[in-house]
Amino acid sequence: MDYSTKKLPKSQLQLNVTVAPEDYKKQLEEAGKRVSKKVNIKGFRKGNVPLDVLKKEVGEMALLQEAVNHIIQETFVEIIKKEELESIGQPEINIEKMAPKNDLVYKAVVSLLPKIKLAETKSVKAKLEKKEITDKQVDETIDSLRKTQAVEVSKTGKAKGEDKLLIDMDMFLDKVPVDGGQSKNYQVYLSEPHYIKGFNEQIVGLKKGDKKEFTLKFPKDHYQKMLAGKKVGFKVKVNEVFERQFPELNEGFAVKLGQKTVEELKTTIKKNLQTEADHKADQSFEIEILDKMIEKTKFDEIPELLIDNEKQKIFYELQRDIEKNGITIEQYLQDIKKTEKELFKDFKAQAEKRAKAALLSREIAIENDIKAEKEEIDAEIATMKKMYKHEEEYMKNLEKPEVRGTIANMVQNRKVMKWLKDQIIK
């Protein structure tokens, strides 16, 4: 076997391979054994037909066609090992010459893991900024909890303060009804900010049965591009006005929330808020470290294969999130006036950054011998099984080798991040 290599853009490599007949003799014989089990040839039992007889009966080209994938696979793997290449994904194979008793010539284009030169951690400056939770934040959280237990009482007077309105609403763009801009019994809480600035102010003071027309400018970043930044007309009719009556902040309220006293409730809420705030601060710290490490690390060109894989992951994550809100991906694409292809194009910068983060984490793990130990993977799986013990399909997936591999990678990435943070903080 002879071969040559040619570097291509985007961390790809082209292999030009020539395999002589004597080099693929073994694969041809094995192909003959497979074919002999499928054909009926007079005077021979299936599986015991000599190769020379098969060549005459089924043709040498048919045997070569049966053998060719095995020839390519075995020679390709041999070259990858010999050249110590870190290939990813499946190669793109083009057979250029294939004829019995002649050289088999093919080209293989393969994506390689890009080489990277890690930044020195001492060159990365990042700060973990944790903020203490204030009594005001605790009071605001308690007010929100009281509102979740509000009793709503219908009223005939003007809407004000903390009231809730049920309205019928129609939207117009240049006096033409907006497609999908009609809502019946649309709920508006006057104490909560509306996504269209000034909307609540327009309906304050209205009573049951009142009607009103007004115009507001939509936010420039509104997800419906046809409305973003435009002046939109509204027609509203008030169906109901409810006064929202909130429970008193007393011992009875605290007991309903699992605490004995108001002070215990405040202490628990402050502790939970602090835990959440610390977690967010830690996440921001990790993102800052990764961003700066990526910025200072030198990467070879990132293969499109890696970027496309990350785009697909981002798409699945988006689909999962919007489906939680009862929206299909088709509805979402229709709302933002984009095709799936256009959406994937928008993911490019984010996908490339994520690909670099994965490569960075891998390289740090290799250089510092950071691995996910069996015990750590088992512990992670045990935790997942405990959390999802009632989801049969999820439990089955945890037994799959490829899922275990994904979990191992997740554990390793977590250890890499801890190592990085330790380097930056000290």
Side-chain angles (χ1 to χ4, degrees):
M1 175 183 65
D2 293 320
Y3 67 89
S4 62
T5 63
K6 179 183 177 183
K7 285 188 176 181
L8 301 177
K10 297 284 185 181
S11 295
Q12 288 189 311
L13 187 72
Q14 179 178 295
L15 304 178
N16 304 301
V17 187
T18 300
V19 188
E22 59 267 23
D23 292 327
Y24 62 74
K25 183 180 178 182
K26 176 187 171 186
Q27 290 91 341
L28 202 61
E29 289 173 350
E30 290 174 349
K33 292 176 183 177
R34 291 193 297 273
V35 171
S36 73
K37 293 178 181 178
K38 303 174 187 176
V39 296
N40 292 311
I41 296 177
K42 190 175 180 180
F44 297 95
R45 286 183 298 144
K46 281 188 175 182
N48 290 283
V49 184
L51 185 60
D52 289 340
V53 175
L54 277 172
K55 288 178 180 179
K56 292 177 182 178
E57 293 293 331
V58 302
E60 292 186 56
M61 191 62 184
L63 291 174
L64 185 55
Q65 287 173 333
E66 172 67 28
V68 68
N69 287 337
H70 293 271
I71 298 169
I72 291 172
Q73 183 179 6
E74 291 176 28
T75 53
F76 175 79
V77 171
E78 184 181 340
I79 295 169
I80 292 295
K81 288 180 179 178
K82 187 175 180 180
E83 295 291 325
E84 297 182 339
L85 301 174
E86 292 185 289
S87 63
I88 52 177
Q90 294 297 318
E92 181 185 321
I93 303 292
N94 285 301
I95 299 173
E96 299 199 328
K97 181 181 177 183
M98 184 177 76
K101 298 176 183 177
N102 281 272
D103 292 347
L104 171 67
V105 181
Y106 71 90
K107 285 184 179 178
V109 176
V110 60
S111 294
L112 303 176
L113 273 175
K115 302 291 184 183
I116 74 173
K117 185 179 179 182
L118 285 174
E120 293 286 341
T121 53
K122 62 184 178 182
S123 70
V124 175
K125 306 297 179 186
K127 187 177 180 181
L128 177 58
E129 295 184 355
K130 291 190 176 183
K131 296 180 180 179
E132 292 296 321
I133 295 299
T134 64
D135 291 340
K136 182 183 177 183
Q137 288 172 288
V138 174
D139 291 340
E140 288 172 349
T141 301
I142 289 175
D143 284 343
S144 296
L145 289 170
R146 289 174 61 216
K147 288 177 181 179
T148 63
Q149 298 189 23
V151 175
E152 297 179 352
V153 180
S154 181
K155 60 183 279 190
T156 55
K158 294 180 179 181
K160 61 181 181 179
E162 304 275 358
D163 289 350
K164 181 183 90 171
L165 293 86
L166 286 182
I167 64 173
D168 289 343
M169 178 177 71
D170 293 277
M171 292 190 288
F172 301 85
L173 193 60
D174 296 328
K175 297 184 180 181
V176 177
V178 173
D179 185 24
Q182 298 74 43
S183 298
K184 297 292 183 183
N185 286 324
Y186 177 64
Q187 297 186 71
V188 181
Y189 293 87
L190 292 180
S191 60
E192 297 178 5
H194 198 275
Y195 73 94
I196 307 170
K197 189 176 180 180
F199 188 90
N200 287 2
E201 288 77 2
Q202 289 290 338
I203 60 176
V204 166
L206 298 181
K207 304 187 299 296
K208 181 178 180 178
D210 283 352
K211 297 179 180 179
K212 187 175 182 180
E213 296 184 23
F214 52 91
T215 300
L216 291 172
K217 190 173 183 179
F218 263 58
K220 290 182 179 179
D221 58 353
H222 188 66
Y223 75 96
Q224 286 180 292
K225 301 302 180 186
M226 63 175 289
L227 300 178
K230 301 286 182 64
K231 287 185 178 181
V232 177
F234 291 85
K235 286 184 180 180
V236 300
K237 175 180 176 293
V238 181
N239 297 327
E240 290 285 351
V241 178
F242 295 95
E243 178 185 350
R244 301 172 71 216
Q245 299 174 352
F246 309 126
E248 293 293 325
L249 178 57
N250 52 29
E251 189 174 291
F253 179 74
V255 169
K256 280 185 178 180
L257 294 175
Q259 305 299 314
K260 294 179 181 178
T261 65
V262 172
E263 284 307 311
E264 280 190 14
L265 177 62
K266 288 184 176 182
T267 300
T268 300
I269 288 173
K270 189 169 188 177
K271 182 181 177 182
N272 291 340
L273 289 176
Q274 190 65 61
T275 298
E276 184 180 351
D278 290 347
H279 179 63
K280 286 182 178 178
D282 203 46
Q283 282 185 320
S284 296
F285 183 52
E286 290 180 0
I287 291 170
E288 185 180 4
I289 290 172
L290 273 178
D291 285 347
K292 290 184 175 179
M293 281 292 293
I294 289 171
E295 182 184 343
K296 292 176 179 291
T297 294
K298 293 181 180 179
F299 296 84
D300 280 355
E301 285 188 287
I302 308 298
E304 287 297 332
L305 178 64
L306 287 182
I307 295 174
D308 288 344
N309 285 345
E310 290 300 331
K311 283 181 182 178
Q312 195 66 58
K313 290 177 188 176
I314 294 168
F315 178 78
Y316 285 143
E317 290 164 9
L318 172 65
Q319 186 175 18
R320 181 190 62 205
D321 289 343
I322 64 174
E323 285 179 351
K324 285 181 181 177
N325 296 315
I327 303 170
T328 66
I329 192 66
E330 290 77 20
Q331 288 172 319
Y332 177 77
L333 290 171
Q334 187 176 4
D335 285 343
I336 64 173
K337 306 297 181 187
K338 287 190 176 182
T339 64
E340 192 173 304
K341 186 177 180 180
E342 290 170 332
L343 189 65
F344 269 70
K345 189 176 179 181
D346 292 344
F347 293 158
K348 183 174 176 60
Q350 185 185 356
E352 185 169 351
K353 184 177 177 181
R354 284 173 52 150
K356 286 182 176 180
L359 291 166
L360 181 76
S361 180
R362 178 182 179 275
E363 191 65 24
I364 290 172
I366 291 171
E367 290 192 11
N368 296 278
D369 196 28
I370 300 172
K371 298 175 182 176
E373 303 296 340
K374 181 180 180 300
E375 296 76 14
E376 294 170 316
I377 302 167
D378 290 342
E380 191 73 29
I381 291 174
T383 300
M384 291 179 174
K385 284 183 175 180
K386 190 174 180 180
M387 289 174 62
Y388 299 99
K389 59 184 177 183
H390 299 301
E391 297 185 27
E392 187 177 342
E393 193 63 32
Y394 192 95
M395 295 291 282
K396 285 181 180 178
N397 284 336
L398 287 175
E399 303 299 328
K400 295 179 180 178
E402 62 269 26
V403 174
R404 185 178 177 87
T406 301
I407 293 170
N409 194 50
M410 181 180 69
V411 172
Q412 179 175 292
N413 287 340
R414 195 186 300 154
K415 292 176 75 173
V416 165
M417 182 51 67
K418 182 182 182 306
W419 181 88
L420 262 178
K421 288 193 286 187
D422 290 343
Q423 302 305 306
I424 303 299
I425 291 173
K426 71 180 181 182

